[in-house]
Amino acid sequence: MTDNTFTPRVFSGIKPSGGLQLGNYLGAIKRFVGMQGEMETVYCVVDLHAITVWQDPAELANGTREVAAGYLAAGLDPTKSILFNQSRVSAHAELAWIFNCVARVGWMNRMTQFKDKAGSNAEKASLGLYAYPSLMAADILLYHATHVPVGDDQKQHVELTRNIASKFNHDFKTDFFPMTEPVIEGSATRIMNLRDGTQKMSKSGESDMERINMLDDADTIAKKLKKAKTDPEPLPETVDGLANRPEARNLVDIYAALADITPEEVIAQYSGAGWGTFKPALADLAVSKLAPISVAMKQHMDDPAEIDRILANGAEKAREIADPILNKTYDIVGLLRS
Ligand code: AMP
Ligand code: TRP
């Protein structure tokens, strides 16, 4: 349960490393938009997370604007949500250092994302990649965020955030940090690769046909969905019939998330249909929902000065929340300042 002494507040973020893809949209951004207006919402472009692996400096700046353009095009409104990029608010890095001293090496060793990303070459991974979950905990707890909408792959990191908050509170005999809830809901918490339904859709995959990019135009979106891998069977009578059919399951989940209905409702509508019926219907739906966002995103990216202004304003508002929380943390830890 969320401690009700904390004001409900949402925080989430996306890394500017490569282009945004459908998993980012359905698993994260679309849900960010849904929470806007329900409670206070703070959404960040986490550029300090991106540099845990090498980023070309010129591409990083543009990538940061691209994620911001995706936020705006999807419906995040800078008058309703705080939108900013992480490096502009230095308190993130400062709180992360304190959390590096709270988190235990054993906890970090259990992080599956680090194992996946570093692979067999962990000795050569950056220290930042290893410490990344502690920076993520700082992002969240710097705002005393109570709710964090993320895709399924981030669940372990939000759990670690709770462990860090709890150890900090215990070690310093305080109840200063909240127990943040991950919000992992709906049919789109894990969108899979269009060519291999056992792999997660991601920004970095070998073939562009595996993913739908938020910047893809209508024809490209339709083509990729029509060419998506499937099996020879028609759609089943019930959702249970999708078990062991990862590609079919994924396309049904994508349809459900785009149409704002449940996978059960999709199956009720299409049970017995072959791919020759379902794929064109999915392509039409996807084009109608995604192509306007892609157009709007390009328009935002044509005005980088406006994006920079929005992010700078957002950072000012973010600091108003973050700085007092960081100051109080310094006091609790006993760090002497003027
Ligand atoms: P990242 O691109 O790793 O910074 O991810 C940003 C957000 O998008 C996180 O909340 C992820 O969990 C979410 N996300 C990324 N890929 C997917 C996917 N294939 N399905 C669902 N959510 C995703
Ligand atoms: N680690 C997240 C990812 O890779 C991005 C992220 C960084 C984040 N800080 C966050 C998500 C804080 C939610 C809250 O997708």
Side-chain angles (χ1 to χ4, degrees), residues 67-79:
V67 175
Y71 283 176
L72 296 166
L76 290 181
D77 175 345
T79 67

Side-chain angles (χ1 to χ4, degrees), residues 78-98:
T79 67
K80 294 189 185 144
S81 291
I82 297 179
L83 307 179
F84 72 107
N85 60 305
Q86 186 184 27
S87 58
R88 277 197 160 99
V89 180
S90 57
H92 288 251
E94 294 181 60
L95 187 60
W97 178 257
I98 292 177

Side-chain angles (χ1 to χ4, degrees), residues 11-13 15 46 49 113 132 136 139-140 148 150 154 157:
F11 182 95
S12 198
K15 295 188 296 285
V46 287
H49 278 87
Q113 184 171 298
Y132 173 120
M136 176 160 163
D139 299 339
I140 295 168
V148 176
V150 277
Q154 296 303 314
H157 291 160

Side-chain angles (χ1 to χ4, degrees), residues 3 24 31-32 37-38 50 84 89-90 108 152 167 171 187 192-193 202 211-212 215 241 276 309 331:
D3 187 329
N24 295 130
R31 298 169 53 235
F32 298 176
E38 275 180 18
F84 72 107
V89 180
S90 57
M108 295 300 174
D152 181 61
K167 181 159 165 55
D171 289 356
S187 59
M192 309 308 280
N193 176 324
S202 74
R211 64 180 162 267
I212 292 178
L215 280 170
R309 196 189 58 76
D331 290 344

Side-chain angles (χ1 to χ4, degrees), residues 136 148 150 154-162 180 182:
M136 176 160 163
V148 176
V150 277
Q154 296 303 314
K155 187 166 187 229
Q156 195 185 31
H157 291 160
V158 184
E159 278 161 6
L160 182 94
T161 301
R162 294 161 64 97
T180 307

Side-chain angles (χ1 to χ4, degrees), residues 45-243:
V45 185
V46 287
D47 46 11
L48 295 175
H49 278 87
I51 61 167
T52 54
V53 296
W54 166 254
Q55 302 294 328
D56 182 284
E59 280 174 30
L60 179 60
N62 278 326
T64 300
R65 294 189 184 105
E66 185 180 325
V67 175
Y71 283 176
L72 296 166
L76 290 181
D77 175 345
T79 67
K80 294 189 185 144
S81 291
I82 297 179
L83 307 179
F84 72 107
N85 60 305
Q86 186 184 27
S87 58
R88 277 197 160 99
V89 180
S90 57
H92 288 251
E94 294 181 60
L95 187 60
W97 178 257
I98 292 177
F99 287 170
N100 282 344
C101 302
V102 172
R104 305 289 95 182
V105 168
W107 301 357
M108 295 300 174
N109 286 341
R110 285 193 282 279
M111 294 295 114
T112 56
Q113 184 171 298
F114 177 76
K115 289 183 205 162
D116 292 347
K117 286 202 172 176
S120 53
N121 220 358
E123 293 266 316
K124 294 245 166 77
S126 75
L127 185 55
L129 189 68
Y130 186 66
Y132 173 120
S134 163
L135 176 60
M136 176 160 163
D139 299 339
I140 295 168
L141 294 173
L142 192 53
Y143 299 88
H144 278 181
T146 53
H147 297 76
V148 176
V150 277
D152 181 61
D153 60 343
Q154 296 303 314
K155 187 166 187 229
Q156 195 185 31
H157 291 160
V158 184
E159 278 161 6
L160 182 94
T161 301
R162 294 161 64 97
N163 291 340
I164 290 178
S166 158
K167 181 159 165 55
F168 182 97
N169 287 349
H170 176 268
D171 289 356
F172 295 99
K173 299 187 178 46
T174 172
D175 52 7
F176 187 57
F177 287 116
M179 288 300 124
T180 307
E181 293 287 338
V183 185
I184 305 173
E185 289 166 356
S187 59
T189 57
R190 195 171 176 83
I191 296 296
M192 309 308 280
N193 176 324
L194 297 178
R195 311 298 304 176
D196 176 356
T198 66
Q199 299 295 317
K200 201 180 60 168
M201 188 182 288
S202 74
K203 293 162 177 167
S204 55
E206 279 159 40
S207 154
D208 200 53
M209 292 300 285
E210 324 178 332
R211 64 180 162 267
I212 292 178
N213 304 299
M214 281 184 73
L215 280 170
D216 282 345
D217 62 18
D219 290 347
T220 310
I221 295 167
K223 184 179 80 190
K224 287 180 177 174
L225 286 170
K226 287 181 184 158
K227 293 207 166 157
K229 183 178 168 201
T230 46
D231 54 33
E233 304 296 319
L235 284 170
E237 305 274 303
T238 65
V239 170
D240 291 344
L242 292 168

